[in-house]
């Protein structure tokens, strides 16, 4: 995530001193259900797309542990946790985002979380970090329930339900033969 102190004293590029006010809505996701989840963030233009992804995820209490992709004006910027590619280090100010413009973040290609991001305002000022201006709604990234709605006890499993050394290898082979 962006750290103002880490950038102190660095040369600045034209347009870097901008702050973006972004409205972020979760449009779709594995466990979204009927929840309406929305955040308004204020972010400095010096943020990279990776920083923005982390900021959005933090604002909704999601882990940063999956592949993701931004789609901005038809161009894709792909990233991965802890070491994304060069394109994900693109600074927001360099994208020249305009008020009213909308783009998307697709996070976790399996659970299919789609975040719609609308530029509410572009301010000509220096930001010193990410601020969450408003929060509406809540969703869990990994609810602790199985598909039947019952509580899932798998998190408590210690891996010791059976001992393979006590099993007959021929019985195991026969039991798994029709799995192929």
């Amino acid at each position: 995530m962006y750290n103002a102190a880490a950038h102190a004293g660095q040369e600045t590029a034209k347009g870097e001193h901008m702050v973006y006010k972004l409205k972020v809505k979760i449009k779709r996701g594995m466990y979204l259900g009927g929840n309406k989840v929305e955040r308004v963030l204020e972010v400095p233009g010096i943020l990279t797309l990776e920083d923005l992804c982390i900021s959005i995820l933090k604002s909704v209490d999601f882990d940063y542990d999956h592949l993701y992709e931004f789609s901005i004006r038809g161009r894709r910027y792909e990233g991965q946790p802890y070491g994304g590619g060069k394109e994900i280090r693109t600074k927001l100010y360099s994208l020249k985002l305009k008020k009213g413009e909308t783009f998307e973040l697709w996070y976790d290609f399996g659970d299919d979380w789609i975040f719609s991001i609308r530029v509410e305002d572009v301010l000509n000022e220096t930001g010193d970090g990410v601020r969450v201006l408003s929060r509406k709604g809540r969703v869990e990234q990994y609810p602790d329930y199985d598909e039947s709605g019952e509580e899932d006890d798998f998190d408590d499993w210690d891996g010791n339900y059976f001992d393979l050394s006590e099993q007959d290898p021929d019985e195991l082979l026969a039991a798994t033969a029709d799995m192929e």
Side-chain angles (χ1 to χ4, degrees):
M1 181 121 77
Y2 176 74
N3 178 345
H7 295 280
Q10 291 183 358
E11 281 190 44
T12 59
K14 187 176 180 180
E16 189 172 296
H17 293 291
M18 297 181 141
V19 172
Y20 295 93
K21 185 177 174 183
L22 306 174
K23 181 180 273 188
V24 179
K25 293 181 182 182
I26 300 180
K27 287 175 41 175
R28 178 172 88 212
M30 175 70 83
Y31 305 107
L32 185 59
N35 295 322
K36 304 273 189 243
V37 180
E38 182 178 297
R39 302 290 184 263
V40 176
L41 305 177
E42 196 173 81
V43 299
I46 188 91
L47 247 62
T48 64
L49 288 172
E50 181 177 35
D51 295 331
L52 180 59
C53 178
I54 293 168
S55 298
I56 290 169
L57 296 175
K58 270 188 124 166
S59 79
V60 294
D61 297 319
F62 278 21
D63 295 330
Y64 178 57
D65 57 357
H66 291 281
L67 298 175
Y68 59 94
E69 174 183 284
F70 282 96
S71 180
I72 304 171
R73 296 185 201 113
R75 180 170 175 199
R76 293 183 174 144
Y77 298 83
E78 297 176 354
Q80 58 187 339
Y82 315 109
K86 180 180 176 186
E87 61 191 15
I88 210 65
R89 290 189 295 261
T90 299
K91 306 272 186 186
L92 290 179
Y93 73 84
S94 71
L95 296 169
K96 298 182 171 95
L97 298 169
K98 306 271 189 255
K99 183 177 179 176
E101 192 168 1
T102 302
F103 58 101
E104 288 188 341
L105 166 61
W106 179 17
Y107 178 73
D108 183 351
F109 302 153
D111 285 351
D112 233 9
W113 294 100
I114 304 291
F115 295 81
S116 174
I117 305 154
R118 178 176 159 72
V119 180
E120 294 288 301
D121 208 352
V122 180
L123 308 168
N124 193 10
E125 57 188 57
T126 303
D128 60 356
V130 176
R131 292 180 26 202
V132 179
L133 302 178
S134 74
R135 296 174 192 265
K136 292 181 184 171
R138 186 175 188 295
V139 67
E140 288 186 60
Q141 182 179 10
Y142 305 117
D144 196 24
Y145 292 93
D146 66 17
E147 293 173 8
S148 69
E150 297 291 319
E151 215 172 308
D152 184 2
D153 293 330
F154 188 74
D155 291 336
D156 300 329
W157 182 49
D158 64 4
N160 292 319
Y161 284 146
F162 55 89
D163 183 355
L164 286 176
S165 66
E166 295 175 5
Q167 303 297 319
D168 178 6
D170 293 329
E171 285 181 23
L172 286 174
L173 285 173
T176 59
D178 52 325
M179 295 176 132
E180 294 178 23

